[in-house]
Amino acid sequence: MTDAFRIDVPHTQGTLAVIALSGEFDLAAAPAVRARALELIANGHPHLVADLSGVTFCDSSGLGALVGIWRCAKDADGSLTLAAIPDRLSRLLSVTGMDTFLPAHPSADTALAARQGNRTTA
């Protein structure tokens, strides 16, 4: 049995929002994550923090969704920052080179603090 996938938005303030994901980030979940992130961007939150602490599995569809979200955020003069990346996903980001353009922090709180302390950088 697979983990039920959840998308929560525990924080929005100004141009910044946190999107918290939990469960299996796969082909079934990726379109919903992308849609929710694009909705946040369209609603004035182009700077996103993706809290991945609850992600139990991520396949290429999940990685593709992250790249798509990053591109859309950049197009809106925003950013995508990853937080609390599980070990397996961290290795996958490193192997694919995605860790070179997606900043990461150990927790959503540290990502928020870094983002709020660096408002002039997209």
Side-chain angles (χ1 to χ4, degrees), residues 5-36:
F5 192 78
R6 287 184 48 110
I7 303 169
D8 295 304
V9 181
H11 177 90
T12 57
Q13 181 179 357
T15 61
L16 184 61
V18 174
I19 185 168
L21 311 177
S22 59
E24 295 187 357
F25 190 9
D26 57 12
L27 180 62
V33 172
R34 183 168 158 62
R36 185 66 176 113

Side-chain angles (χ1 to χ4, degrees), residues 11-106:
H11 177 90
T12 57
Q13 181 179 357
T15 61
L16 184 61
V18 174
I19 185 168
L21 311 177
S22 59
E24 295 187 357
F25 190 9
D26 57 12
L27 180 62
V33 172
R34 183 168 158 62
R36 185 66 176 113
L38 298 185
E39 178 183 312
L40 288 166
I41 292 167
N43 287 330
H45 308 290
H47 297 286
L48 299 177
V49 172
D51 181 352
L52 305 173
S53 60
V55 172
T56 57
F57 172 80
C58 183
D59 67 7
S60 61
S61 300
L63 291 177
L66 291 174
V67 171
I69 293 164
W70 172 76
R71 286 183 180 152
C72 290
K74 293 299 266 181
D75 288 347
D77 294 323
S79 61
L80 174 63
T81 301
L82 305 181
I85 305 168
D87 287 340
R88 282 187 178 177
L89 181 52
S90 181
R91 286 191 298 274
L92 190 55
L93 291 167
S94 178
V95 167
T96 60
M98 290 175 62
D99 62 340
T100 62
F101 62 90
L102 288 174
H105 293 273

Side-chain angles (χ1 to χ4, degrees), residues 16 49 105 107-119:
L16 184 61
V49 172
H105 293 273
S107 71
D109 288 341
T110 58
L112 279 172
R115 184 66 236 163
Q116 289 171 337
N118 191 18
R119 292 185 195 279

